[in-house]
Amino acid sequence: MRQILLYLENLEKRERYILIGGLYAVIIIVGLFFTALPTYEKIQQTERKITKEMENYRQLMEAVSVYLSVKGSVRKKEISLSQIEKIATATGVKDRIILLKPYQDAGVEVSLEEVNWSSLVSFLKRVKQENYTLVSFSMEKPKEKPVVKARLVITE
């Protein structure tokens, strides 16, 4: 340590400034290297993640467009009161309908009274054949009668 101090004292003023400036430059370069390099690596990693996510998003959009094109071509029929009435007429339960009204945005509510089992089953089968969905179904069987009372909600 003593030799270093002796060496520094023997240097001229200009040489000391050059040495101190060089030390500062080395400290700054090393400091930047250790702080900027990890930051640069994190930026590169983030850019890779963004690129990967953009590719995943592009693939998702392709899948959505394929789904929408298939869904549009296999679109279910729009449900209407007249279509349910046609099904009821065909299955013989039209005269048992006591309520036929639109249900919320995309459905039909049907209430049947004193309908026999076979007619109700054929009505439900026909609804399924027409690719409609039965959302709600409730049924009551009066005591000692061979008929039932049913409430159905049918949607597309």
Side-chain angles (χ1 to χ4, degrees):
M1 181 75 171
R2 187 180 244 195
Q3 289 178 346
I4 295 174
L5 290 175
L6 186 63
Y7 175 74
L8 290 175
E9 288 176 5
N10 288 335
L11 291 177
E12 291 183 18
K13 193 174 188 180
R14 190 182 112 225
E15 292 173 336
R16 283 187 199 157
Y17 286 138
I18 292 173
L19 183 64
I20 290 172
L23 285 174
Y24 280 141
V26 167
I27 290 171
I28 290 173
I29 290 173
V30 168
L32 286 175
F33 179 75
F34 284 116
T35 59
L37 186 63
T39 305
Y40 178 73
E41 288 176 1
K42 286 183 181 180
I43 289 171
Q44 292 296 323
Q45 183 181 14
T46 304
E47 286 177 354
R48 284 190 300 268
K49 284 182 181 179
I50 289 172
T51 305
K52 182 180 176 184
E53 288 300 320
M54 288 174 61
E55 178 63 23
N56 289 343
Y57 179 74
R58 186 190 60 74
Q59 290 175 354
L60 178 65
M61 287 295 108
E62 287 176 7
V64 166
S65 66
V66 168
Y67 169 75
L68 290 177
S69 68
V70 169
K71 181 182 177 190
S73 64
V74 184
R75 179 129 174 114
K76 294 180 181 179
K77 294 186 220 174
E78 297 285 327
I79 191 166
S80 69
L81 298 175
S82 63
Q83 290 170 330
I84 298 301
E85 192 173 352
K86 286 179 187 175
I87 293 172
T89 303
T91 57
V93 296
K94 182 178 180 195
D95 57 336
R96 301 295 179 198
I97 294 177
I98 58 171
L99 176 69
L100 182 64
K101 70 174 188 175
Y103 182 78
Q104 293 179 354
D105 290 336
V108 174
E109 180 179 351
V110 182
S111 290
L112 304 166
E113 192 170 66
E114 295 184 4
V115 64
N116 62 30
W117 282 103
S118 61
S119 298
L120 180 61
V121 169
S122 65
F123 178 74
L124 292 173
K125 283 182 181 179
R126 184 70 181 267
V127 166
K128 184 172 172 105
Q129 286 174 354
E130 296 290 329
N131 292 326
Y132 295 131
T133 305
L134 190 63
V135 177
S136 173
F137 178 78
S138 62
M139 183 175 62
E140 294 177 19
K141 183 179 184 303
K143 293 182 181 179
E144 300 181 18
K145 287 188 178 181
V147 292
V148 294
K149 180 178 180 181
R151 180 186 167 275
L152 306 97
V153 176
I154 304 166
T155 61
E156 301 175 39

